[in-house]
Amino acid sequence: MEVQNHAERFDSAANLLNVKLRDILLGVPAQAKRSAMEIRIRVGSPVAITCPGQIWFLGKSSDLHNIPQNGYLATKQDIADSIITMCEHSVHTHQHEMKNGFISLRGGHRAGLCGSAVLSAGEISAVRDVTSINLRIAREIRGAANDLVHRVFNRGLCGALIAGIPSSGKTTLLRDLARQLSSGKAGRHYKVAVVDERYEIGAVYNGAPQNYLGPACDILSGYPKGEGIITAVRTLSPDVIICDEIGMKDEVDSIIDGLNCGVKIIASAHASSIEELCKRRQITRLIDNGAFKKIVMLGSWDKPGQIQEVVEVGEIGDKAGRSVPYNSMFIDDGDLHGVGTLQKSTSY
Amino acid sequence: MASGLSKRVRAIEDAILLIDHLYDRLRYLQPTVASLVYEASGTTSLQRCRYLAECKLSLESGHGFTNSWKDAVKKSPGSLELQEIELISALGDVLGSTDLDSQLQNLAWTREQLEHILSDARAYRDKHHKLYSSLGVLSGIAVAIILI
């Protein structure tokens, strides 16, 4: 599979927008295209391109400015047309995603939508009057997980949680990690099952993955994570399940069920520190149940994908100021065997 | 004239078959409208719906679905008449632009309307078929007599 360079990825994302925005964005200097992470479109505001450590505002002639003046002001029509184009004139195919505030796009890109929620029986049934789009440009960086593989999986597979703030490179790392594990870069070829709820890791489009995840990888696309994990365990006999952005109760329940089947879990979660991570009830449930042996904290958003620290689960009590003796649990390589109720002396 | 009546009936039957096809595919797989058209245009039983191939060509050349569909139905209606052309053409405003349930409801409604038109067209055909056939034969005989 041919790997697109970053400028090509930028162009492929720009091509998903309406004609006016597309034409301006395609003219952006190649240097900016290469480092661009997001294209932000807000009604009445200049179109912005987010690069590591810098936001550029787009001019009408594709010129970039670091102040939001003389920029191209996106219109309501730009946003409405772009949504139709991004959905390939088939809104129904993205109905469920739009309800959750995003659209998965061809090429592995993702558009976050911001608008007014339409409620039906107390639940969000649609989003109308979209006022802004955050078009996140998919990046496939081969080798992004080299350091991760070396530091975390050098002694074989174990459960791991990759945590970081938004845009810190969690998905990019997971994508390359899936590829490396299934390609035998971590000692042997592992059977990897990727639960790609938001089409960001494998970015399957029309039945073909847009990102190469190696020869021993199965991708469950569009599955809610909880159901995807259960399906993977039941039908794919994976060595490891990889999924992005965990945190909901049903996802955690499924992961815990998966653990009891001897499958390793590698997942990501939003958090800026171990302390923050330990304040998230569902994450601590996973840690308490021995889902992860190691926790990988990523650096700031201007250095995406860079590992800040790798923490052994047994050390978390010290890091997070908890007195939970994690290392007293019966954990073997991230698997939990016959652990009873964990007694904690702290609450979080 | 007689064969024209039969062709119209067949064209409406084909359109109903197409709507059933679109309904089933949409409900089961929720494909994009482009995939829907590509797949339907390659289906043997729908080959007589020429507007499908026309729409496919237009989509392939980068045009949006709504205009591609409407233009195709108007450009290659086959033996359909204005009433049914308008109904089928209007699907261009519906397919892909609303949620799934609304699209399915609209397809079901269009099918129902076409069924009514089909029933009228069949009755009209049965009533006038013999008349037009007889008129054709008589006209032939008259021409032959004049020539002799």
Side-chain angles (χ1 to χ4, degrees):
Chain A
M1 179 184 276
E2 194 181 324
V3 184
Q4 281 184 312
N5 68 37
H6 294 161
E8 284 170 349
R9 292 250 173 184
F10 180 94
D11 287 349
S12 86
N15 274 317
L16 297 165
L17 297 168
N18 74 330
V19 178
K20 205 189 282 179
L21 288 173
R22 183 192 67 196
D23 289 347
I24 300 177
L25 284 162
L26 289 178
V28 164
Q31 199 181 349
K33 283 182 183 179
R34 280 196 288 273
S35 58
M37 298 159 73
E38 298 171 340
I39 299 169
R40 311 294 298 243
I41 305 154
R42 300 178 177 97
V43 174
S45 297
V47 173
I49 297 174
T50 312
C51 299
Q54 174 80 54
I55 293 175
W56 294 103
F57 297 97
L58 188 65
K60 288 171 190 162
S61 326
S62 307
D63 43 330
L64 298 174
H65 308 271
N66 54 8
I67 49 166
Q69 280 162 7
N70 304 319
Y72 173 77
L73 302 180
T75 63
K76 208 173 166 183
Q77 197 59 44
D78 284 332
I79 289 194
D81 291 347
S82 293
I83 289 173
I84 293 290
T85 318
M86 288 189 294
C87 291
E88 299 181 59
H89 302 269
S90 306
V91 174
H92 61 277
T93 58
H94 298 278
Q95 210 172 307
H96 177 71
E97 297 164 4
M98 287 173 81
K99 198 174 76 173
N100 291 308
F102 70 96
I103 306 174
S104 304
L105 304 167
R106 185 172 5 117
H109 311 292
R110 187 173 77 170
L113 305 178
C114 180
S116 310
V118 179
L119 294 177
S120 172
E123 287 191 3
I124 297 173
S125 60
V127 176
R128 64 173 161 80
D129 300 333
V130 175
T131 51
S132 62
I133 297 173
N134 173 17
L135 180 51
R136 294 183 67 173
I137 301 162
R139 306 184 116 194
E140 187 183 15
I141 304 176
R142 300 259 175 116
N146 284 352
D147 192 26
L148 183 67
V149 169
H150 175 70
R151 291 171 68 174
V152 178
F153 303 105
N154 55 345
R155 287 187 184 174
L157 214 49
C158 65
L161 178 66
I162 299 169
I165 58 168
S167 298
S168 56
K170 297 183 290 295
T171 309
T172 307
L173 271 188
L174 281 180
R175 189 181 296 128
D176 193 54
L177 181 63
R179 190 182 61 79
Q180 297 211 23
L181 292 177
S182 88
S183 303
K185 298 278 167 74
R188 69 174 180 87
H189 292 274
Y190 289 106
K191 287 186 285 178
V192 179
V194 169
V195 181
D196 196 5
E197 183 175 7
R198 297 186 172 194
Y199 297 82
E200 283 191 297
I201 304 176
V204 172
Y205 177 76
N206 271 349
Q210 310 283 296
N211 296 319
Y212 180 60
L213 299 186
C217 185
D218 301 303
I219 308 169
L220 292 157
S221 297
Y223 278 71
K225 279 184 280 287
E227 287 176 40
I229 290 165
I230 290 169
T231 305
V233 170
R234 280 183 188 158
T235 61
L236 301 172
S237 67
D239 294 317
V240 58
I241 295 175
I242 292 182
C243 58
D244 207 1
E245 292 176 21
I246 51 160
M248 303 298 285
K249 187 178 178 298
D250 65 318
E251 296 161 9
V252 171
D253 289 344
S254 305
I255 291 175
I256 292 169
D257 284 347
L259 291 174
N260 294 326
C261 302
V263 181
K264 306 282 190 294
I265 301 286
I266 300 172
S268 71
H270 287 296
S272 63
S273 62
I274 296 285
E275 290 79 4
E276 215 171 279
L277 206 59
C278 289
K279 284 177 187 160
R280 296 185 60 185
R281 184 182 294 272
Q282 299 305 330
I283 300 292
T284 50
R285 266 186 74 208
L286 282 173
I287 296 171
D288 291 348
N289 277 283
F292 309 117
K293 189 180 178 191
K294 293 182 181 180
I295 293 182
V296 179
M297 286 303 308
L298 298 185
S300 54
W301 70 289
D302 55 340
K303 290 172 186 167
Q306 202 168 85
I307 296 174
Q308 198 173 53
E309 62 176 331
V310 177
V311 182
E312 294 278 339
V313 163
E315 298 167 5
I316 289 183
D318 306 332
K319 292 267 177 191
R322 291 172 42 150
S323 58
V324 186
Y326 280 100
N327 46 8
S328 69
M329 290 168 65
F330 180 30
I331 297 167
D332 173 23
D333 249 18
D335 276 299
L336 187 72
H337 305 289
V339 173
T341 310
L342 180 68
Q343 299 295 321
K344 291 197 285 274
S345 56
T346 54
S347 58
Y348 34 86
Chain B
M1 285 287 267
S3 79
L5 292 177
S6 296
K7 278 181 183 168
R8 183 188 175 210
V9 167
R10 203 182 306 138
I12 301 169
E13 287 170 346
D14 289 339
I16 291 174
L17 198 64
L18 169 65
I19 285 176
D20 287 345
H21 182 91
L22 297 178
Y23 186 98
D24 292 344
R25 305 297 291 183
L26 261 178
R27 194 181 57 172
Y28 184 52
L29 295 172
Q30 299 185 27
T32 61
V33 282
S35 311
L36 206 55
V37 169
Y38 292 172
E39 198 266 337
S41 66
T43 303
T44 316
S45 57
L46 300 171
Q47 289 301 303
R48 284 197 298 263
C49 301
R50 294 285 165 83
Y51 41 90
L52 280 174
E54 192 79 41
C55 182
K56 184 183 172 215
L57 276 178
S58 176
L59 289 172
E60 281 172 346
S61 58
H63 295 104
F65 175 76
T66 304
N67 290 337
S68 297
W69 178 267
K70 288 184 163 186
D71 292 348
V73 175
K74 282 175 185 159
K75 206 170 160 188
S76 305
S79 300
L80 294 171
E81 290 190 358
L82 190 63
Q83 205 180 357
E84 49 269 21
I85 289 173
E86 281 181 356
L87 271 174
I88 298 169
S89 171
L91 288 176
D93 291 321
V94 177
L95 293 175
S97 61
T98 58
D99 66 333
L100 184 66
D101 289 342
S102 308
Q103 291 182 62
L104 293 177
Q105 276 171 20
N106 217 296
L107 281 169
W109 180 83
T110 306
R111 189 192 197 283
E112 206 176 302
Q113 300 303 308
L114 284 172
E115 283 283 3
H116 290 311
I117 297 173
L118 177 64
S119 153
D120 292 347
R122 276 180 181 150
Y124 189 83
R125 179 195 61 185
D126 295 343
K127 191 176 168 188
H128 294 87
H129 189 264
K130 275 187 183 171
L131 174 68
Y132 289 142
S133 300
S134 308
L135 276 176
V137 173
L138 287 174
S139 308
I141 293 169
V143 170
I145 291 170
I146 290 165
L147 288 174
I148 292 166

